[in-house]
Amino acid sequence: MDNVTEFTFKPIGIIHSCFTQKFGIPRQPGLVTAATAELELLPPFNRRECFNGLEVFSHLWVSFIFHETLSEGWRPTIRPPRLGGKKRVGVFASRSTHRPNPIGLSVVKLKSISQESDKLSLQLSEIDLLDGTPVIDIKPYLPYSDYIADASNGFAPPPVANKPVTFSQQAQSFCHQYQQVTGRNLSLLTHQVLSQDPRPAYLQNSYEREHSIQLWDVNIRWHATPDDFHINYMEPVNN
Ligand code: SAM
């Protein structure tokens, strides 16, 4: 067998994401349209000419490293949450983060390219990326060849948003003030994230626990009822 060489990748950029913890990140991009991130380009790739022409594309392929689970290694089989966490499939039949080469691949929306002195960044949305994710490559998404209308979803059909999301009075006024100060639509992001029901499969029929989730620098406490997801309380993370 040819001697297979090992490669080292140099990140071209770092993701600054609304998802500041793994819990709650949608399983794939495009599911939470309010999810935004900034891809800050790193030297020597933070040169505007490297991105000339990119602005005419609406979406990008982003290749990245699953840095948060690196230390957990890889497994030959995994139990996809979509199969209730019980059935095992091969790691290469999944989009698991625990892969021999921990490379992720997401199609995300390109909102704009911004430059402030030597800081060059891409503003992205509809992401599924954790804050701090190292990016190793980006390419324009080409629907004529990348979109396959009759492709099969296999055992991973698109998730359905199943229950309404309701906000306590305190959460509503927190979102309003937060948006006044930061310009961020916390209410919409929270609504879209919770409507994906981020809880693990084994908890999806239980209603006793209060859960907490972190989006940007906000801690959100919520619980599920048979009829909705109710947001009890919101507060700044370092409160
Ligand atoms: N769209 C990518 C793909 O198919 O390769 C990622 C799919 S993976 C199932 C999506 C999950 O990866 C998210 O729900 C989140 O929990 C996890 N994730 C996102 N960024 C990560 C990071 N930097 N390190 C580890 N896990 C990450």
Side-chain angles (χ1 to χ4, degrees):
M1 184 174 86
D2 296 345
N3 64 326
V4 178
T5 46
E6 297 211 350
F7 299 92
T8 49
F9 289 117
K10 191 173 171 58
I12 64 164
I14 287 289
I15 290 286
H16 303 296
S17 169
C18 59
F19 297 120
T20 42
Q21 67 174 192
K22 253 166 61 50
F23 180 54
I25 302 181
R27 56 177 57 88
Q28 284 303 332
L31 297 174
V32 174
T33 57
T36 57
E38 177 181 77
L39 167 51
E40 179 181 359
L41 284 313
L42 299 172
F45 314 108
N46 57 337
R47 292 164 49 184
R48 187 64 180 82
E49 65 268 33
C50 297
F51 300 87
N52 285 351
L54 188 67
E55 63 280 355
V56 298
F57 294 95
S58 61
H59 290 74
L60 304 175
W61 285 109
V62 174
S63 303
F64 61 92
I65 301 295
F66 287 115
H67 77 295
E68 188 84 348
T69 43
L70 267 183
S71 59
E72 297 166 18
W74 73 281
R75 303 171 190 130
T77 63
I78 55 100
R79 289 180 294 178
R82 307 307 312 281
L83 298 179
K86 294 190 176 67
K87 190 166 177 295
R88 283 194 169 277
V89 298
V91 62
F92 296 119
S94 80
R95 302 290 278 263
S96 167
T97 62
H98 296 92
R99 319 183 70 77
N101 294 302
I103 296 170
L105 180 65
S106 293
V107 181
V108 299
K109 196 167 201 169
L110 173 63
K111 290 165 59 182
S112 65
I113 301 175
S114 48
Q115 177 134 30
E116 282 162 33
S117 75
D118 64 348
K119 183 183 170 196
L120 180 66
S121 39
L122 307 183
Q123 305 305 323
L124 309 174
S125 67
E126 309 197 10
I127 56 142
D128 60 343
L129 305 170
L130 179 63
D131 195 42
T133 295
V135 170
I136 51 176
D137 193 20
I138 61 164
K139 301 170 198 259
Y141 174 76
L142 303 176
Y144 79 84
S145 77
D146 295 343
Y147 170 66
I148 301 173
D150 59 349
S152 137
N153 277 307
F155 60 75
V160 285
N162 53 8
K163 274 194 285 207
V165 178
T166 54
F167 290 68
S168 67
Q169 195 54 50
Q170 186 275 344
Q172 283 180 44
S173 46
F174 185 97
C175 285
H176 180 71
Q177 282 160 3
Y178 189 78
Q179 186 155 11
Q180 300 268 38
V181 171
T182 65
R184 293 166 171 172
N185 193 337
L186 177 63
S187 167
L188 180 59
L189 179 63
T190 307
H191 189 280
Q192 290 184 352
V193 166
L194 289 197
S195 62
Q196 298 286 321
D197 194 355
R199 296 172 302 163
Y202 71 89
L203 281 179
Q204 293 197 351
N205 290 318
S206 82
Y207 304 109
E208 303 74 40
R209 282 174 59 168
E210 182 177 68
H211 304 276
S212 86
I213 202 165
Q214 190 177 309
L215 297 172
W216 284 301
D217 52 356
V218 178
N219 189 42
I220 298 152
R221 299 206 312 258
W222 58 282
H223 71 279
T225 75
D227 310 314
D228 69 352
F229 296 113
H230 184 71
I231 296 153
N232 306 321
Y233 196 80
M234 290 185 168
E235 59 189 342
V237 165
N238 299 324
N239 214 17

